[in-house]
Amino acid sequence: MLLFKKKFLDAIRRGEKTQTIRLWKRRRYRPGQRSFIPGVGPIVIDQVDEVAWEELTETDAILDGFPSLETLRQEIEEIYGLSPDKKMFRVRFHLQEVAPQHPPMRMHTFLADFELTLDQTAEKLLEKCRIYRSTCDWNHEPGKSHDFFALFLQSPRNAEGIPLHDGFRLESLLREQLSAEQWQEIGWLVHDVCRSWTEWQYAVEHFWKEKQE
């Protein structure tokens, strides 16, 4: 899932913004991979290149939806700063054509038919992290990423179908349950999954609900 500020969504829908610059510790996407932009829809990743600050060009600015390279760099600095422990990636994408849909599903239709308690959610998430602890990049392996997302869909939610707890709350709960040795073993994966969990929760709360109104 790629998240964007709301001000960029119209340009993406019109096909005017087909690139984004991201600072990550490691590459998260590969060409041909499908992803999703909340508020816009499914996309296909065309190109992912590591790029240095001085290698950004005016073409990058245009594809990114900015009037100039200077304004693109200002936006990057405002969002990320220049973090020395992260690499810069140029991600190019296009919207995926979607066949006409039936009337949109409501959130309750999309979520699982049954719901776990918060403690059950935490227990199952720890179990999956122990199983997948040797995985280098779970988010790029569909079986594993779908496994975690399915658990997210079963997590506690309110009467409108919005999940109650974001990843920060869940990570704090899991950290309390693990010893220092256990955290050393799977803490990196717990942190990574909970970060994505927060993105899923934010997308459901702010974009899915908005689309239905």
Side-chain angles (χ1 to χ4, degrees):
M1 181 184 298
L2 274 175
L3 296 179
F4 287 85
K5 291 182 178 179
K6 196 170 183 178
K7 66 180 181 179
F8 295 125
L9 298 185
D10 283 342
I12 295 173
R13 295 189 193 104
R14 294 193 299 266
E16 298 171 2
K17 180 176 174 64
T18 58
Q19 175 181 293
T20 180
I21 301 296
R22 299 292 166 121
L23 268 65
W24 296 323
K25 289 186 177 181
R26 59 181 181 274
R27 187 186 306 265
R28 295 188 185 176
Y29 292 95
R30 59 183 180 276
Q33 184 175 352
R34 291 185 175 126
S35 188
F36 186 84
I37 299 176
V40 175
I43 61 169
V44 178
I45 304 298
D46 297 317
Q47 189 175 337
V48 183
D49 297 313
E50 186 174 345
V51 60
W53 178 259
E54 61 274 9
E55 293 174 337
L56 293 174
T57 67
E58 292 291 342
T59 299
D60 287 314
I62 293 172
L63 294 177
D64 221 303
F66 290 89
S68 68
L69 178 58
E70 181 181 357
T71 54
L72 170 61
R73 284 178 166 165
Q74 288 173 351
E75 183 74 17
I76 295 171
E77 289 181 326
E78 179 182 333
I79 296 175
Y80 295 106
L82 291 179
S83 178
D85 64 334
K86 293 183 179 180
K87 301 175 182 178
M88 183 179 294
F89 292 92
R90 176 198 291 126
V91 182
R92 291 179 178 169
F93 59 87
H94 68 269
L95 297 178
Q96 180 182 353
E97 293 186 8
V98 180
Q101 298 288 324
H102 294 293
M105 294 185 299
R106 296 298 171 182
M107 195 64 208
H108 284 295
T109 306
F110 182 65
L111 289 166
D113 292 333
F114 58 96
E115 182 180 335
L116 301 172
T117 66
L118 180 59
D119 287 339
Q120 288 172 329
T121 301
E123 180 182 353
K124 287 183 175 293
L125 194 145
L126 279 179
E127 179 182 341
K128 294 179 187 300
C129 285
R130 291 188 179 103
I131 294 172
Y132 298 144
R133 64 183 181 275
S134 298
T135 303
C136 293
D137 195 353
W138 66 273
N139 207 17
H140 284 165
E141 298 187 34
K144 296 179 177 61
S145 59
H146 293 171
D147 209 9
F148 283 113
F149 189 64
L151 182 57
F152 168 77
L153 296 179
Q154 299 167 28
S155 65
R157 51 191 184 268
N158 63 22
E160 296 180 340
I162 305 300
L164 293 174
H165 305 289
D166 62 23
F168 299 112
R169 172 73 181 92
L170 188 58
E171 182 177 355
S172 177
L173 178 63
L174 297 174
R175 183 67 181 89
E176 293 172 359
Q177 298 181 13
L178 296 175
S179 66
E181 183 178 349
Q182 290 172 323
W183 186 257
Q184 182 69 25
E185 181 183 19
I186 65 172
W188 71 271
L189 184 53
V190 171
H191 175 75
D192 211 25
V193 171
C194 287
R195 181 186 61 188
S196 292
W197 192 289
T198 296
E199 293 179 353
W200 299 335
Q201 198 270 349
Y202 181 89
V204 168
E205 183 176 359
H206 293 273
F207 294 104
W208 183 285
K209 185 177 179 181
E210 176 183 293
K211 189 167 183 169
Q212 306 306 316
E213 293 176 347

